[in-house]
């Protein structure tokens, strides 16, 4: 025979499952009870906060040398060998996007630093920035198609253009 303490515990669990938590349980959960004047929402709901709708692109997403376990997102035939952030930025600007470079670490590989954020749609109107590209996968495929055609990839001696913030005039 179970002890009375266990029986009470099971009773509370059954009431919680049925959605009939007592006033003390509601107080502990921060849900508000009778007469506390609190809001009925638990807080932290997805719809309560504005979130960033830009998509994130790490270079490993389109790296043909990376495996699916490493983080590659598209087929190897559509990927590029060891893409750089500068190449991704250059292609995105050419396509008509306004990319933002962020100094973040890729979660699966702590040595891979940097990512690019870009909006597929206009923030105000909601229209596609580039009409041909409607999804993240299509954008990754377009990057994989365009990066091999860059001047820096075709000419062995040519370097990718340096960002304006890094150039120093003497």
């Amino acid at each position: 025979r179970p002890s009375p303490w266990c029986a009470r515990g099971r009773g509370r669990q059954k009431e919680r499952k049925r959605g009939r938590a007592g006033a003390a349980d509601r107080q502990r959960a921060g849900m508000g009870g009778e007469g506390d004047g609190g809001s009925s929402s638990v807080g932290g709901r997805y719809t309560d906060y504005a979130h960033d709708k830009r998509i994130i692109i790490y270079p490993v997403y389109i790296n043909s040398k990376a495996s699916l376990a490493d983080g590659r997102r598209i087929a190897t035939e559509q990927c590029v060998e060891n893409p750089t952030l500068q190449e991704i930025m250059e292609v995105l600007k050419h396509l008509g996007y306004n990319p933002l470079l962020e100094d973040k670490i890729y979660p699966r590989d702590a040595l891979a630093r940097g990512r690019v954020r870009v909006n597929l749609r206009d923030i105000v109107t909601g229209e596609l920035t580039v009409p041909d590209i409607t999804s993240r996968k299509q954008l990754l495929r377009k990057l994989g198609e365009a990066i091999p055609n860059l001047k820096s990839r075709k000419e062995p001696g040519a370097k990718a253009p340096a960002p304006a913030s890094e150039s120093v005039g003497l």
Side-chain angles (χ1 to χ4, degrees):
R1 180 167 187 233
S3 70
W5 182 82
C6 290
R8 282 193 301 254
R10 272 191 243 122
R12 265 193 220 127
Q13 287 174 351
K14 286 180 184 176
E15 284 190 14
R16 281 190 197 123
K17 284 182 182 177
R18 291 184 203 133
R20 292 185 280 179
D25 291 333
R26 282 194 302 270
Q27 288 281 345
R28 261 185 261 124
M31 297 168 67
E34 293 86 358
D36 75 340
S39 67
S40 62
S41 71
V42 178
R45 299 190 77 149
Y46 184 73
T47 57
D48 293 344
Y49 300 102
H51 62 283
D52 197 352
K53 299 207 182 236
R54 295 177 293 178
I55 65 165
I56 296 171
I57 301 171
Y58 287 99
V60 73
Y61 288 178
I62 56 173
N63 188 352
S64 62
K65 297 288 184 185
S67 66
L68 289 174
D70 291 337
R72 181 174 43 86
R73 297 286 176 102
I74 56 176
T76 54
E77 298 83 34
Q78 300 166 342
C79 289
V80 185
E81 187 175 325
N82 300 321
T84 64
L85 288 168
Q86 287 75 24
E87 291 171 337
I88 293 171
M89 292 280 288
E90 188 177 339
V91 170
L92 287 173
K93 285 179 183 173
H94 177 72
L95 289 173
Y97 290 105
N98 187 18
L100 175 69
L101 184 64
E102 294 181 333
D103 186 27
K104 297 286 185 175
I105 295 173
Y106 184 60
R108 294 187 199 180
D109 182 11
L111 300 176
R113 291 184 67 109
R115 70 182 184 190
V116 178
R117 289 192 95 140
V118 65
N119 268 329
L120 286 180
R121 298 180 175 273
D122 186 70
I123 298 170
V124 179
T125 62
E127 295 177 6
L128 291 169
T129 307
V130 177
D132 299 342
I133 301 172
T134 59
S135 68
R136 176 191 323 246
K137 288 253 185 181
Q138 284 181 342
L139 180 59
L140 293 176
R141 288 183 188 121
K142 193 71 144 178
L143 285 170
E145 177 185 312
I147 289 176
N149 299 327
L150 289 175
K151 193 175 192 180
S152 60
R153 287 272 176 147
K154 285 188 172 183
E155 297 176 11
K159 288 187 175 182
S165 61
E166 291 181 7
S167 62
V168 179
L170 295 176

